[in-house]
Amino acid sequence: MELLSLRTFQAVVEEGGILAASRKLNTVQSNVTGRIRRLEEELGTELFIRKGRGLELAPSGRVLLDYARRMLMLERQTAAAVRLVGESAGELRIGAMETFAALHLPRALKAVRAGHRGLELRVFTDTSAALAERIVHHKLDCAFVAGPVIHPELVFDELIVEELVQVHAAGSDPRQQPLILFREGCAYRTRALAWQRSQGHALADAMEFGTLEGILGCVAVGLGWTLMPRRVVEQSPLADELVIEAVPPEIGRVPTGMIRLREAPQLAAMRTLAAALAQAPAQLAA
């Protein structure tokens, strides 16, 4: 079973078809079709159910997808680990919540760059739920998310505790305004909605934004209120236009840390990344 065939199979599944997979792999459709056919012949079973021009994973294909992801991840980690022993070369794919990326990640990335000069760093921002999903599907090596995270395939190493605060514009009453928050999957969103319900806000609706700047910008002009890490608000250019109010610890204190696959070896650069954050608790913790 060739890794190239498994990589092709995974691309067909994740991209949704032969044509999209061929574009991702920078090859012609006939090569993709041929590799899938040879893989099916080798395994003695159909991996896809053909429906017109579309493909749907067969039961055997779902089983293979799980193993293919594991094998391809192990191949990538093996190559990266060998390179890291010698020249600190390779790639580290890091995920982070947008607030964490803005507030804490630059210092940690600087430490990794200094200690692993040949390493290519790739950073992706998303919600905690989406980042966990990307880790499980071997699309990221590690990610920084709001916890606690309880998942059979993931390890959660708590590094800091963020303090969430209620934020609104000066002169506005948040009880009469809509909530402004990140999209579904954000851990802060869940806490904000719980706080909104507990306080009996007159408006139960919410506005969604994909960026930190968008949320704070709308809050600053009085369009709504939000929950946000205290230090993010204090360091914002809009800080003078915003009012910060504390919320109870069960809402406001959020354990935050690194998640990674339980079965995967922890690369040296990941340890450097975590250590850089853990070494300055007085500055990072709420």
Side-chain angles (χ1 to χ4, degrees):
M1 199 180 305
E2 296 181 353
L3 290 175
L4 179 58
S5 296
L6 293 177
R7 194 171 290 111
T8 301
F9 168 71
Q10 183 182 30
V12 171
V13 175
E14 293 182 348
E15 299 301 315
I18 299 292
L19 177 59
S22 67
R23 289 171 177 166
K24 179 179 181 179
L25 298 171
N26 195 29
T27 188
V28 296
Q29 293 185 62
S30 58
N31 284 345
V32 175
T33 303
R35 290 169 190 163
I36 295 299
R37 185 181 297 115
R38 286 193 296 273
L39 193 56
E40 290 180 322
E41 291 173 354
E42 182 179 357
L43 294 171
T45 184
E46 288 192 351
L47 301 173
F48 294 96
I49 300 172
R50 277 72 176 177
K51 291 189 174 182
R53 294 186 177 182
L55 296 175
E56 181 179 310
L57 265 182
S60 55
R62 289 195 291 272
V63 173
L64 178 62
L65 180 61
D66 179 52
Y67 282 97
R69 283 170 170 161
R70 295 190 204 177
M71 287 187 280
L72 292 171
M73 182 63 168
L74 184 58
E75 179 229 9
R76 196 195 68 78
Q77 290 176 335
T78 301
V82 171
R83 288 193 296 266
L84 284 168
V85 169
E87 301 177 359
S88 267
E91 176 184 88
L92 185 65
R93 301 170 301 173
I94 306 163
M97 302 178 293
E98 184 166 342
T99 52
F100 191 95
L103 194 59
H104 304 307
L105 201 54
R107 179 186 296 104
L109 294 178
K110 182 179 179 180
V112 174
R113 182 70 72 199
H116 308 272
R117 295 187 180 279
L119 191 65
E120 179 184 351
L121 302 178
R122 300 182 62 194
V123 180
F124 305 84
T125 59
D126 213 323
T127 64
S128 291
L131 292 170
E133 187 72 11
R134 289 175 71 88
I135 293 283
V136 170
H137 289 96
H138 310 279
K139 294 181 179 180
L140 291 173
D141 297 304
C142 62
F144 295 97
V145 302
V149 176
I150 302 173
H151 192 287
E153 297 181 54
L154 299 176
V155 174
F156 174 71
D157 298 317
E158 182 178 322
L159 297 172
I160 62 175
V161 176
E162 293 281 15
E163 182 195 3
L164 294 185
V165 292
Q166 180 174 275
V167 187
H168 60 91
S172 66
D173 182 358
R175 291 172 297 181
Q176 304 298 322
Q177 293 182 316
L179 177 58
I180 304 179
L181 35 66
F182 286 111
R183 57 189 176 275
E184 189 72 36
C186 173
Y188 299 164
R189 174 193 179 105
T190 303
R191 291 171 180 256
L193 291 172
W195 178 241
Q196 183 186 52
R197 289 191 296 270
S198 70
Q199 294 301 294
H201 284 235
L203 295 179
D205 57 332
M207 300 168 60
E208 292 187 5
F209 282 83
T211 66
L212 174 63
E213 293 81 3
I215 292 176
L216 290 181
C218 287
V219 171
V221 297
L223 294 180
W225 67 278
T226 191
L227 283 191
M228 197 68 68
R230 177 183 290 273
R231 292 187 68 238
V232 168
V233 182
E234 291 175 343
Q235 295 182 15
S236 169
L238 300 170
D240 292 341
E241 304 172 48
L242 300 169
V243 175
I244 294 176
E245 296 181 0
V247 297
E250 61 270 21
I251 295 291
R253 292 185 64 80
V254 185
T256 305
M258 175 191 286
I259 55 171
R260 52 187 171 83
L261 279 175
R262 188 177 302 277
E263 63 182 25
Q266 188 176 10
L267 301 178
M270 290 165 55
R271 292 193 292 271
T272 301
L273 197 61
L277 291 163
Q279 284 173 357
Q283 296 178 13
L284 298 177

